[in-house]
Amino acid sequence: MSSDEIIRDIRKTIEEKTPFAGSVTKIEFEGPKVVIYCDDLDPLVGNGKPVKKLAREIQKRITLRPDSSIRLPVGKAKEKIKEIVPDEAQVTGINFIPTVGEVYIETVKPGLAIGKGGQLLRKILKEIRWTPKIIRKPPIESEIINDIRRSVIETAEERHEILREIGSRIHRETRAEDEWVRVTSLGGSREVGRSAHLLQTPESKVLLDCGVNVAADDKSAFPYLNAPEMRLGEIDAVVITHAHLDHSGFAPYLFKYGYDGPVYTTKPTRDLSVLLQLDYVDIARNEAKELPYTKKNVQEFVKHTVPLEYGDVTDITPDMRLTLHNSGHILGSALAHLHIGEGRYNIVYTGDLKFEDSRLLSAAEHDFPRLEALIMDSTYGGSDAIQPSREDSENDFLDIVKGTLKEGGKVLVPAFAVGRAQEMMLLLEDAYSSGELEDLTVHLDGMIWEATSIHTAYPEYLSDDLQNKILHQENNPFLSDIFNQVKSREERERIVSGGSSVILSTAGMMAGGPILEYFRRLAPGSKNSLIFVGYQSEGSMGRRLQKGWREVPMRDDSGKRNVVQVNMDINTVEGFSAHSDRKQLVDFVKRSSPKPGKILCVHGEEGRCIDLCSSLHKMFNMRTRAPDNLETIRLY
Ligand code: ZN
């Protein structure tokens, strides 16, 4: 059936089975959704039962919208909104999208604009006959979020066209008669970096992740997009599990070469990806390297993103349904559950996985409606890759901080901007508010502030405890007075020559960024400490210091090479990883419900992928494989 025929069928079902057929003015596909426009408000503000019944009947996500003929003029509608939404909600922006009849209301306190059980939303809809969408104004201003939101509004018409096109492709006439499912590794197998896996059926091609290996300087930085089965024009959809560049960093490149299909991901992943992709482009430019893509391609990535929430079941091709679930790794990170051919075959691709609660996030989801094959993270798949307990790690970290501050020294923590920095912020804030650390100032430098502000825009993705603090107790730890955003070079100077403090700064492996300035100035002081809380790759400055280098050649402000004497205390505290260790990986498979019959181990050094693969086979008697890049494995 073609998409037009499907729409005709839906219209018929509406006529036969719902009471609101008379008010339907238009039905169209908008990406995976069916949008029904009505010139009567009843179906939109009623109890929703007929719509739910219809959604079950046609097995699609349905959105009802008021037809343009009944909408209040923009000026009047705006006044009404201001009347209805209480001042305490603090509205910061109202933007109308005429193409689809929606109005975005940005507010500091979304809960107060929504009202109890959505009461105010219904009232707004009734009065103005535009669909209100409430968005949270992050309490910490975010340039990235402002830019993305502005572009979503400015490009609404174009996005609508893109979504309609995507919609008709999802609901196209199917032609396949065979049944099979296979997956080809285009990158990130038996290695970490450039994750990309092509999932194919006779009907569809879906790309799972599209990353870069930022540590590589040659072609091995990019996935094998030139593999024979990888024809850009035939790709139905791209799914991005999370924002780290080894999963999202090459996605804008697809748009440079003519891909014009959807990218499915969560909103926080979209925003954090943009932050990291733009930084990646900037660094390449500063190092005078060939740019893999431009900012314009990043904008295309945003324009083609179809944001999904955890648990949304979405048709992405004629024979695949996608559901994203929390993967516990970083803000917005997801496991992708793919339901193929009316449920004949079900796959979970974990992306990066953390199967343990952290301060920031809840542990990964492990319960699925159906599951036949698992494609899983093997970063710490080796039997030796066991991390110390989080509690021990936290105590070790705080002991070093306490000791150093007491001596009047400064603590320097190189941290990845997304995830690790916020985890350390939460630990320090907790230690401060419980009285364990006194007189604490934590300076945040590099991209950390911007990444933190994106965290504050999406509290519903954070751990239950943190969410509860932010939403119900008005106690947002990220807004604590102990944190200071470093805004200038001069301020860095003042911090270095000032009293004791903790400094969290990028880059996490000391490959560049403000951390180097701090290090150069603080390294000679024997009262100061440096604490590594994240992985340091071979060849990085961080790894050299871990190995005990005490004289490090570095460039000074004027570009001259000098030897820096390292007298500061160099520490490494393990256990803060956002990846599952070996025990947690095995635990995840053990507790996965239902049990998969097949497992592919990817995303890990070769030895670790193979170790995990053979161990899981022995433990659970499942068919397991550790594919190589470019290898294709038939799953069904
Ligand atoms: Zn990651």
Side-chain angles (χ1 to χ4, degrees), residues 35-52:
V35 181
I36 302 171
Y37 290 88
C38 301
D39 62 6
D40 175 3
L41 269 189
D42 285 352
L44 281 89
V45 295
N47 62 15
K49 270 190 192 155
V51 181
K52 276 187 199 137

Side-chain angles (χ1 to χ4, degrees), residues 102-126:
E102 288 180 343
V103 52
Y104 294 157
I105 306 172
E106 191 186 60
T107 115
V108 176
K109 301 209 164 127
L112 296 179
I114 291 165
K116 235 187 184 154
Q119 197 186 348
L120 291 185
L121 278 190
R122 274 194 302 278
K123 188 165 182 204
I124 296 171
L125 172 63
K126 249 189 210 165

Side-chain angles (χ1 to χ4, degrees), residues 202-220:
E203 187 58 54
S204 328
K205 291 188 178 189
V206 171
L207 187 60
L208 304 173
D209 281 338
C210 192
V212 288
N213 182 351
V214 283
D217 254 343
D218 52 9
K219 260 177 34 196
S220 71

